[in-house]
Amino acid sequence: MTTPHTLGKDAPQPGTPLVALTGVAKSYGNVRALRGVSLEVHAGQITCVLGDNGAGKSTLIKIIAGLHPHDAGTYAVDGEEVRHSSPRQALDRGIATVYQDLAVVPLMPVWRNFFLGSEPTKGRGPLRRLDVAAMRATTREALARMGIDLRDVDQPIGTLSGGERQCVAIARAVHFGAKVLVLDEPTAALGVKQSGMVLKYVAAARDAGLGVVLITHNPHHAYLVGDRFVLLKRGTMSGSHLKEAITLDALTREMAGGSELDELTHELSRTPAVTEPADGADPETRA
């Protein structure tokens, strides 16, 4: 059975990023989805990637997750340059990705989804079968270690809230030995309370020693937990900051467009007011 994640003697030297992208570019035919993007992911830290729709966040996720190879630049894991050709290769190197549309089977219980694709068995030959008791117990223990308190691991995962499902996915990645956890907009479709729950467990994954990549379009959520911020705009980097070097207001302003926002505000303020015709004037003959 796979053991929970621990940082042992094989962990990278202090200061060495778990994942480092330098000048990465990706094109699909004549469309340049990314160009010149760099970021670092360190153990025990959260790197937030911010940008609006079409900024290139999805393409960046696919490169880190091994779904699509990069066209230019370098991609290094633990200081070693790599070129993933499948998500399995990235997963084997400890990079787990939790997508916004969680890959779960709604009618299956929580413990079954927790081990989906990695089920332990007992017995041999024709008597070989799933070790259901071990999966139930391990799921309870893994969730409890992350501080996640579910009523019953036998309940269908489809009955959980969106925030609870995200938390189960995070706990699963930690349990199965991920060193880097990539989260695709985990709070995008959640309310305030559930978003807070998910961010709590994102921080718990960081505190367990993982390097976390949090993809989001919400600077307020990013600033609550982030240590590093990379801003994307139309496939290029528009900024890269450490938390101590930027305020929330500055981060929000930079993501919103900065000077472009000022220009829009100026244009809107100059819009002439619509005036009503003077008393007794004919609306058809007003100037």
Side-chain angles (χ1 to χ4, degrees):
M1 183 183 298
T2 306
T3 56
H5 171 78
T6 55
L7 291 177
K9 62 182 180 179
D10 295 330
Q13 294 298 315
T16 301
L18 296 177
V19 165
L21 274 63
T22 306
V24 163
K26 178 65 180 178
S27 296
Y28 299 98
N30 294 326
V31 178
R32 291 195 297 176
L34 286 180
R35 55 189 182 279
V37 174
S38 301
L39 64 81
E40 291 185 355
V41 184
H42 291 260
Q45 290 189 3
I46 298 174
T47 298
C48 298
V49 180
L50 299 104
D52 288 327
N53 292 337
K57 304 191 301 296
S58 296
T59 301
L60 184 62
I61 291 174
K62 291 171 182 175
I63 291 173
I64 297 174
L67 191 61
H68 292 173
H70 54 290
D71 296 334
T74 60
Y75 178 2
V77 178
D78 293 341
E80 177 186 353
E81 189 170 339
V82 299
R83 188 174 183 82
H84 295 146
S85 58
S86 71
R88 172 53 61 183
Q89 289 184 354
L91 193 58
D92 288 344
R93 288 189 169 100
I95 301 170
T97 303
V98 178
Y99 292 98
Q100 187 175 342
D101 52 344
L102 297 172
V104 297
V105 182
L107 296 180
M108 283 186 175
V110 173
W111 62 264
R112 189 71 172 85
N113 276 277
F114 193 89
F115 280 93
L116 199 60
S118 303
E119 296 86 348
T121 59
K122 61 181 180 180
R124 295 182 180 179
L127 298 179
R128 188 177 181 184
R129 59 201 182 280
L130 294 178
D131 193 344
V132 174
M135 285 191 280
R136 283 195 177 106
T138 301
T139 300
R140 290 192 193 96
E141 292 168 5
L143 295 177
R145 272 196 302 272
M146 292 286 291
I148 301 171
D149 182 22
L150 290 184
R151 295 180 297 276
D152 185 5
V153 297
D154 282 305
Q155 70 186 103
I157 199 167
T159 64
L160 302 182
S161 69
E164 288 173 328
R165 289 196 296 272
Q166 287 282 354
C167 295
V168 170
I170 292 170
R172 183 184 191 279
V174 173
H175 173 77
F176 280 98
K179 295 189 296 182
V180 175
L181 179 61
V182 183
L183 299 167
D184 174 21
E185 299 272 13
T187 62
L190 304 180
V192 174
K193 184 176 181 180
Q194 290 192 33
S195 294
M197 177 201 309
V198 171
L199 293 175
K200 173 184 174 182
Y201 295 118
V202 171
R206 173 200 63 198
D207 295 342
L210 279 71
V212 180
V213 180
L214 176 63
I215 311 293
T216 181
H217 63 269
N218 191 319
H220 295 271
H221 291 170
Y223 203 81
L224 280 172
V225 296
D227 299 288
R228 299 166 180 266
F229 308 102
V230 173
L231 291 95
L232 297 182
K233 182 179 180 181
R234 297 176 185 173
T236 62
M237 290 179 63
S238 60
S240 180
H241 309 279
L242 295 175
K243 185 169 187 175
E244 57 267 25
I246 191 168
T247 64
L248 173 58
D249 287 344
L251 182 67
T252 303
R253 178 179 176 78
E254 188 168 333
M255 183 181 170
S259 60
E260 293 180 9
L261 190 61
D262 284 342
E263 184 177 336
L264 177 60
T265 302
H266 181 64
E267 289 179 2
L268 293 176
S269 67
R270 290 171 58 88
T271 301
V274 177
T275 58
E276 293 294 329
D279 292 342
D282 185 353
E284 295 296 327
T285 59
R286 69 186 179 189

